[in-house]
mmCIF file of all heavy atoms in Angstrom:
data_model
loop_
_atom_site.group_PDB
_atom_site.id
_atom_site.type_symbol
_atom_site.label_atom_id
_atom_site.label_comp_id
_atom_site.label_asym_id
_atom_site.label_seq_id
_atom_site.Cartn_x
_atom_site.Cartn_y
_atom_site.Cartn_z
ATOM 1 N N LEU A 1 -11.647 -0.458 -0.094
ATOM 2 C CA LEU A 1 -13.112 -0.158 0.048
ATOM 3 C C LEU A 1 -13.694 -1.025 -1.134
ATOM 4 O O LEU A 1 -13.240 -0.874 -2.210
ATOM 5 C CB LEU A 1 -13.386 1.345 -0.065
ATOM 6 C CG LEU A 1 -14.820 1.696 -0.010
ATOM 7 C CD1 LEU A 1 -15.375 1.446 1.494
ATOM 8 C CD2 LEU A 1 -14.983 3.141 -0.406
ATOM 9 N N ASP A 2 -14.605 -1.877 -0.752
ATOM 10 C CA ASP A 2 -15.331 -2.587 -1.703
ATOM 11 C C ASP A 2 -14.447 -3.417 -2.647
ATOM 12 O O ASP A 2 -14.635 -3.377 -3.869
ATOM 13 C CB ASP A 2 -16.297 -1.745 -2.522
ATOM 14 C CG ASP A 2 -17.496 -1.159 -1.638
ATOM 15 O OD1 ASP A 2 -17.910 -1.874 -0.830
ATOM 16 O OD2 ASP A 2 -17.854 0.018 -2.066
ATOM 17 N N GLY A 3 -13.420 -3.947 -2.046
ATOM 18 C CA GLY A 3 -12.560 -4.927 -2.834
ATOM 19 C C GLY A 3 -11.483 -4.167 -3.740
ATOM 20 O O GLY A 3 -10.935 -4.824 -4.627
ATOM 21 N N ALA A 4 -11.197 -2.938 -3.523
ATOM 22 C CA ALA A 4 -10.314 -2.191 -4.325
ATOM 23 C C ALA A 4 -9.293 -1.286 -3.401
ATOM 24 O O ALA A 4 -9.799 -0.882 -2.325
ATOM 25 C CB ALA A 4 -10.981 -1.295 -5.407
ATOM 26 N N VAL A 5 -8.246 -0.936 -3.840
ATOM 27 C CA VAL A 5 -7.299 0.005 -3.008
ATOM 28 C C VAL A 5 -8.056 1.330 -3.330
ATOM 29 O O VAL A 5 -7.797 1.907 -4.481
ATOM 30 C CB VAL A 5 -5.835 -0.077 -3.540
ATOM 31 C CG1 VAL A 5 -5.107 1.012 -2.813
ATOM 32 C CG2 VAL A 5 -5.372 -1.559 -3.337
ATOM 33 N N HIS A 6 -8.493 1.921 -2.375
ATOM 34 C CA HIS A 6 -9.266 3.330 -2.482
ATOM 35 C C HIS A 6 -8.235 4.470 -2.456
ATOM 36 O O HIS A 6 -8.484 5.420 -3.099
ATOM 37 C CB HIS A 6 -10.268 3.316 -1.397
ATOM 38 C CG HIS A 6 -11.366 4.313 -1.710
ATOM 39 N ND1 HIS A 6 -12.189 4.287 -2.808
ATOM 40 C CD2 HIS A 6 -11.800 5.477 -0.991
ATOM 41 C CE1 HIS A 6 -13.022 5.440 -2.819
ATOM 42 N NE2 HIS A 6 -12.692 6.041 -1.681
ATOM 43 N N THR A 7 -7.310 4.302 -1.485
ATOM 44 C CA THR A 7 -6.213 5.264 -1.415
ATOM 45 C C THR A 7 -5.082 4.648 -0.614
ATOM 46 O O THR A 7 -5.176 3.608 -0.072
ATOM 47 C CB THR A 7 -6.718 6.637 -0.742
ATOM 48 O OG1 THR A 7 -5.651 7.587 -0.808
ATOM 49 C CG2 THR A 7 -7.123 6.412 0.761
ATOM 50 N N ALA A 8 -3.939 5.214 -0.667
ATOM 51 C CA ALA A 8 -2.727 4.648 0.064
ATOM 52 C C ALA A 8 -1.545 5.671 0.239
ATOM 53 O O ALA A 8 -1.620 6.771 -0.447
ATOM 54 C CB ALA A 8 -2.180 3.469 -0.833
ATOM 55 N N GLY A 9 -0.640 5.410 1.051
ATOM 56 C CA GLY A 9 0.509 6.242 1.304
ATOM 57 C C GLY A 9 1.661 5.426 1.937
ATOM 58 O O GLY A 9 1.240 4.375 2.748
ATOM 59 N N GLN A 10 2.776 6.036 1.798
ATOM 60 C CA GLN A 10 3.852 5.371 2.630
ATOM 61 C C GLN A 10 3.921 5.942 4.063
ATOM 62 O O GLN A 10 3.550 7.135 4.257
ATOM 63 C CB GLN A 10 5.275 5.756 1.962
ATOM 64 C CG GLN A 10 6.466 5.226 2.713
ATOM 65 C CD GLN A 10 7.719 5.554 1.964
ATOM 66 O OE1 GLN A 10 7.927 5.333 0.729
ATOM 67 N NE2 GLN A 10 8.719 5.845 2.787
ATOM 68 N N TYR A 11 4.293 5.109 5.058
ATOM 69 C CA TYR A 11 4.285 5.624 6.454
ATOM 70 C C TYR A 11 5.648 5.260 7.124
ATOM 71 O O TYR A 11 5.903 5.781 8.178
ATOM 72 C CB TYR A 11 3.166 5.075 7.247
ATOM 73 C CG TYR A 11 3.282 3.646 7.546
ATOM 74 C CD1 TYR A 11 3.865 2.973 8.634
ATOM 75 C CD2 TYR A 11 2.467 2.828 6.685
ATOM 76 C CE1 TYR A 11 3.838 1.695 8.705
ATOM 77 C CE2 TYR A 11 2.434 1.339 6.846
ATOM 78 C CZ TYR A 11 3.156 0.860 7.941
ATOM 79 O OH TYR A 11 3.132 -0.535 8.191
ATOM 80 N N ALA A 12 6.525 4.469 6.476
ATOM 81 C CA ALA A 12 7.767 4.163 7.180
ATOM 82 C C ALA A 12 8.743 3.781 6.254
ATOM 83 O O ALA A 12 8.515 3.273 5.129
ATOM 84 C CB ALA A 12 7.475 3.098 8.236
ATOM 85 N N GLU A 13 10.121 3.962 6.722
ATOM 86 C CA GLU A 13 11.267 3.444 5.833
ATOM 87 C C GLU A 13 12.357 3.070 6.908
ATOM 88 O O GLU A 13 12.696 3.866 7.810
ATOM 89 C CB GLU A 13 11.708 4.624 5.197
ATOM 90 C CG GLU A 13 12.810 4.276 3.950
ATOM 91 C CD GLU A 13 13.210 5.391 3.137
ATOM 92 O OE1 GLU A 13 12.498 5.633 2.099
ATOM 93 O OE2 GLU A 13 14.086 6.117 3.479
ATOM 94 N N MET A 14 12.683 1.830 6.786
ATOM 95 C CA MET A 14 13.648 1.221 7.591
ATOM 96 C C MET A 14 13.259 1.342 9.081
ATOM 97 O O MET A 14 14.077 1.579 9.937
ATOM 98 C CB MET A 14 15.068 1.881 7.400
ATOM 99 C CG MET A 14 15.710 1.642 6.035
ATOM 100 S SD MET A 14 15.795 -0.104 5.636
ATOM 101 C CE MET A 14 16.801 -0.794 6.840
ATOM 102 N N GLY A 15 11.990 1.217 9.319
ATOM 103 C CA GLY A 15 11.426 1.099 10.722
ATOM 104 C C GLY A 15 11.242 2.544 11.314
ATOM 105 O O GLY A 15 10.733 2.514 12.411
ATOM 106 N N ARG A 16 11.465 3.608 10.607
ATOM 107 C CA ARG A 16 11.322 4.941 11.007
ATOM 108 C C ARG A 16 10.166 5.455 10.223
ATOM 109 O O ARG A 16 9.940 5.324 9.111
ATOM 110 C CB ARG A 16 12.548 5.722 10.867
ATOM 111 C CG ARG A 16 13.673 5.314 11.744
ATOM 112 C CD ARG A 16 14.984 6.030 11.560
ATOM 113 N NE ARG A 16 16.065 5.665 12.327
ATOM 114 C CZ ARG A 16 16.341 5.997 13.596
ATOM 115 N NH1 ARG A 16 15.517 7.007 14.162
ATOM 116 N NH2 ARG A 16 17.423 5.608 14.235
ATOM 117 N N LEU A 17 9.417 6.570 10.911
ATOM 118 C CA LEU A 17 8.251 7.193 10.356
ATOM 119 C C LEU A 17 8.799 7.970 9.101
ATOM 120 O O LEU A 17 9.768 8.783 9.161
ATOM 121 C CB LEU A 17 7.701 8.173 11.227
ATOM 122 C CG LEU A 17 6.530 9.053 10.701
ATOM 123 C CD1 LEU A 17 5.351 8.005 10.555
ATOM 124 C CD2 LEU A 17 6.101 9.970 11.863
ATOM 125 N N ARG A 18 8.339 7.811 7.956
ATOM 126 C CA ARG A 18 8.678 8.563 6.771
ATOM 127 C C ARG A 18 7.394 8.595 5.879
ATOM 128 O O ARG A 18 7.039 7.572 5.353
ATOM 129 C CB ARG A 18 9.852 7.930 6.089
ATOM 130 C CG ARG A 18 10.346 8.800 4.859
ATOM 131 C CD ARG A 18 11.607 8.291 4.143
ATOM 132 N NE ARG A 18 11.932 9.068 2.988
ATOM 133 C CZ ARG A 18 12.836 10.112 3.069
ATOM 134 N NH1 ARG A 18 13.265 10.468 4.250
ATOM 135 N NH2 ARG A 18 13.172 10.670 2.026
ATOM 136 N N LEU A 19 6.775 9.596 5.777
ATOM 137 C CA LEU A 19 5.650 9.882 4.997
ATOM 138 C C LEU A 19 5.946 10.133 3.548
ATOM 139 O O LEU A 19 6.828 10.866 3.213
ATOM 140 C CB LEU A 19 4.740 10.980 5.623
ATOM 141 C CG LEU A 19 4.352 10.784 7.115
ATOM 142 C CD1 LEU A 19 3.416 11.963 7.640
ATOM 143 C CD2 LEU A 19 3.767 9.413 7.424
ATOM 144 N N GLY A 20 4.998 9.694 2.725
ATOM 145 C CA GLY A 20 5.185 9.945 1.235
ATOM 146 C C GLY A 20 4.044 9.299 0.464
ATOM 147 O O GLY A 20 3.239 8.576 0.975
ATOM 148 N N PRO A 21 4.002 9.476 -0.811
ATOM 149 C CA PRO A 21 3.025 8.861 -1.687
ATOM 150 C C PRO A 21 3.270 7.221 -1.683
ATOM 151 O O PRO A 21 4.327 6.873 -1.441
ATOM 152 C CB PRO A 21 3.287 9.406 -3.004
ATOM 153 C CG PRO A 21 4.766 9.914 -3.020
ATOM 154 C CD PRO A 21 4.977 10.219 -1.519
ATOM 155 N N ALA A 22 2.304 6.716 -2.287
ATOM 156 C CA ALA A 22 2.310 5.281 -2.341
ATOM 157 C C ALA A 22 3.142 4.882 -3.598
ATOM 158 O O ALA A 22 2.997 5.427 -4.743
ATOM 159 C CB ALA A 22 0.961 4.657 -2.433
ATOM 160 N N HIS A 23 4.030 3.944 -3.519
ATOM 161 C CA HIS A 23 4.866 3.348 -4.585
ATOM 162 C C HIS A 23 3.917 2.489 -5.549
ATOM 163 O O HIS A 23 2.952 1.866 -4.977
ATOM 164 C CB HIS A 23 5.981 2.483 -4.046
ATOM 165 C CG HIS A 23 7.068 2.241 -5.036
ATOM 166 N ND1 HIS A 23 6.802 1.233 -6.063
ATOM 167 C CD2 HIS A 23 8.277 2.751 -5.115
ATOM 168 C CE1 HIS A 23 7.931 1.120 -6.672
ATOM 169 N NE2 HIS A 23 8.845 1.983 -6.227
ATOM 170 N N GLY A 24 4.147 2.679 -6.793
ATOM 171 C CA GLY A 24 3.299 1.810 -7.720
ATOM 172 C C GLY A 24 3.394 0.393 -7.447
ATOM 173 O O GLY A 24 2.329 -0.370 -7.589
ATOM 174 N N ASP A 25 4.499 -0.115 -6.998
ATOM 175 C CA ASP A 25 4.569 -1.596 -6.751
ATOM 176 C C ASP A 25 3.817 -1.953 -5.542
ATOM 177 O O ASP A 25 3.302 -2.986 -5.490
ATOM 178 C CB ASP A 25 5.971 -1.993 -6.535
ATOM 179 C CG ASP A 25 6.805 -2.009 -7.883
ATOM 180 O OD1 ASP A 25 6.147 -1.915 -8.854
ATOM 181 O OD2 ASP A 25 8.080 -1.924 -7.875
ATOM 182 N N ALA A 26 3.675 -1.059 -4.536
ATOM 183 C CA ALA A 26 2.814 -1.240 -3.401
ATOM 184 C C ALA A 26 1.374 -1.505 -3.788
ATOM 185 O O ALA A 26 0.599 -2.273 -3.307
ATOM 186 C CB ALA A 26 2.954 -0.145 -2.221
ATOM 187 N N LEU A 27 0.948 -0.529 -4.707
ATOM 188 C CA LEU A 27 -0.332 -0.656 -5.141
ATOM 189 C C LEU A 27 -0.756 -1.802 -5.899
ATOM 190 O O LEU A 27 -1.714 -2.537 -5.793
ATOM 191 C CB LEU A 27 -0.704 0.594 -6.018
ATOM 192 C CG LEU A 27 -0.529 1.971 -5.357
ATOM 193 C CD1 LEU A 27 -0.888 2.965 -6.493
ATOM 194 C CD2 LEU A 27 -1.640 2.076 -4.178
ATOM 195 N N ALA A 28 0.297 -2.291 -6.707
ATOM 196 C CA ALA A 28 0.114 -3.598 -7.476
ATOM 197 C C ALA A 28 0.005 -4.698 -6.591
ATOM 198 O O ALA A 28 -0.781 -5.676 -6.760
ATOM 199 C CB ALA A 28 1.310 -3.690 -8.539
ATOM 200 N N PHE A 29 0.937 -4.736 -5.546
ATOM 201 C CA PHE A 29 0.938 -5.753 -4.655
ATOM 202 C C PHE A 29 -0.511 -5.873 -3.890
ATOM 203 O O PHE A 29 -0.928 -6.862 -3.575
ATOM 204 C CB PHE A 29 2.127 -5.702 -3.596
ATOM 205 C CG PHE A 29 2.091 -6.867 -2.608
ATOM 206 C CD1 PHE A 29 2.280 -8.159 -2.939
ATOM 207 C CD2 PHE A 29 1.880 -6.580 -1.250
ATOM 208 C CE1 PHE A 29 2.368 -9.126 -2.032
ATOM 209 C CE2 PHE A 29 2.005 -7.671 -0.317
ATOM 210 C CZ PHE A 29 2.132 -8.993 -0.702
ATOM 211 N N GLY A 30 -1.012 -4.630 -3.452
ATOM 212 C CA GLY A 30 -2.196 -4.610 -2.843
ATOM 213 C C GLY A 30 -3.383 -5.272 -3.752
ATOM 214 O O GLY A 30 -4.223 -5.924 -3.167
ATOM 215 N N ARG A 31 -3.244 -5.081 -5.000
ATOM 216 C CA ARG A 31 -4.289 -5.738 -5.981
ATOM 217 C C ARG A 31 -4.248 -7.262 -5.851
ATOM 218 O O ARG A 31 -5.070 -7.992 -5.970
ATOM 219 C CB ARG A 31 -4.101 -5.082 -7.355
ATOM 220 C CG ARG A 31 -4.635 -3.639 -7.398
ATOM 221 C CD ARG A 31 -4.685 -3.231 -8.860
ATOM 222 N NE ARG A 31 -3.305 -3.044 -9.456
ATOM 223 C CZ ARG A 31 -2.685 -1.860 -9.390
ATOM 224 N NH1 ARG A 31 -3.245 -0.779 -8.799
ATOM 225 N NH2 ARG A 31 -1.551 -1.723 -9.972
ATOM 226 N N ASP A 32 -2.831 -7.747 -5.772
ATOM 227 C CA ASP A 32 -2.623 -9.063 -5.774
ATOM 228 C C ASP A 32 -3.169 -9.654 -4.490
ATOM 229 O O ASP A 32 -3.780 -10.828 -4.348
ATOM 230 C CB ASP A 32 -0.998 -9.419 -5.658
ATOM 231 C CG ASP A 32 -0.435 -9.146 -7.046
ATOM 232 O OD1 ASP A 32 -1.187 -9.001 -7.963
ATOM 233 O OD2 ASP A 32 0.757 -9.004 -7.033
ATOM 234 N N VAL A 33 -3.040 -8.948 -3.254
ATOM 235 C CA VAL A 33 -3.625 -9.451 -2.071
ATOM 236 C C VAL A 33 -5.187 -9.497 -2.211
ATOM 237 O O VAL A 33 -5.785 -10.513 -1.664
ATOM 238 C CB VAL A 33 -3.208 -8.383 -1.008
ATOM 239 C CG1 VAL A 33 -3.950 -8.830 0.424
ATOM 240 C CG2 VAL A 33 -1.753 -8.379 -0.642
ATOM 241 N N LEU A 34 -5.808 -8.439 -2.723
ATOM 242 C CA LEU A 34 -7.189 -8.526 -2.926
ATOM 243 C C LEU A 34 -7.685 -9.603 -3.816
ATOM 244 O O LEU A 34 -8.669 -10.182 -3.571
ATOM 245 C CB LEU A 34 -7.660 -7.200 -3.450
ATOM 246 C CG LEU A 34 -7.601 -5.939 -2.374
ATOM 247 C CD1 LEU A 34 -7.840 -4.686 -3.077
ATOM 248 C CD2 LEU A 34 -8.713 -6.196 -1.329
ATOM 249 N N ALA A 35 -6.861 -9.941 -4.921
ATOM 250 C CA ALA A 35 -7.218 -11.015 -5.849
ATOM 251 C C ALA A 35 -7.277 -12.407 -5.025
ATOM 252 O O ALA A 35 -8.196 -13.249 -5.387
ATOM 253 C CB ALA A 35 -6.247 -11.054 -6.917
ATOM 254 N N ALA A 36 -6.460 -12.393 -4.046
ATOM 255 C CA ALA A 36 -6.350 -13.682 -3.345
ATOM 256 C C ALA A 36 -7.273 -13.734 -2.047
ATOM 257 O O ALA A 36 -7.591 -14.904 -1.617
ATOM 258 C CB ALA A 36 -4.915 -13.906 -2.907
ATOM 259 N N ALA A 37 -7.509 -12.552 -1.502
ATOM 260 C CA ALA A 37 -8.233 -12.651 -0.105
ATOM 261 C C ALA A 37 -9.299 -11.488 0.115
ATOM 262 O O ALA A 37 -9.523 -11.375 1.176
ATOM 263 C CB ALA A 37 -7.123 -12.425 0.919
ATOM 264 N N ALA A 38 -9.769 -10.877 -0.915
ATOM 265 C CA ALA A 38 -10.724 -9.823 -0.753
ATOM 266 C C ALA A 38 -11.848 -10.330 -0.021
ATOM 267 O O ALA A 38 -12.584 -9.601 0.817
ATOM 268 C CB ALA A 38 -11.122 -9.269 -2.114
ATOM 269 N N ASP A 39 -12.354 -11.532 -0.243
ATOM 270 C CA ASP A 39 -13.567 -12.085 0.363
ATOM 271 C C ASP A 39 -13.342 -12.561 1.916
ATOM 272 O O ASP A 39 -14.407 -12.899 2.404
ATOM 273 C CB ASP A 39 -14.108 -13.427 -0.401
ATOM 274 C CG ASP A 39 -13.289 -14.450 -0.531
ATOM 275 O OD1 ASP A 39 -12.035 -14.304 -0.042
ATOM 276 O OD2 ASP A 39 -13.494 -15.613 -1.151
#
């Protein structure tokens, strides 16, 4: 939302549904994606 990761969560592991909180590295990678492609 508005160029930032507003919320996140895990939804799969090894191709199978597995719900959980977002890993810190996933959030960091999301920020990298936004830095490159938010616009």
Side-chain angles (χ1 to χ4, degrees):
L1 185 65
D2 291 328
V5 179
H6 199 56
T7 186
Q10 179 177 317
Y11 65 88
E13 187 173 276
M14 299 307 297
R16 296 177 179 272
L17 183 68
R18 185 177 180 86
L19 305 183
H23 193 283
D25 288 347
L27 300 177
F29 180 67
R31 290 190 287 271
D32 290 343
V33 173
L34 285 167
D39 61 354

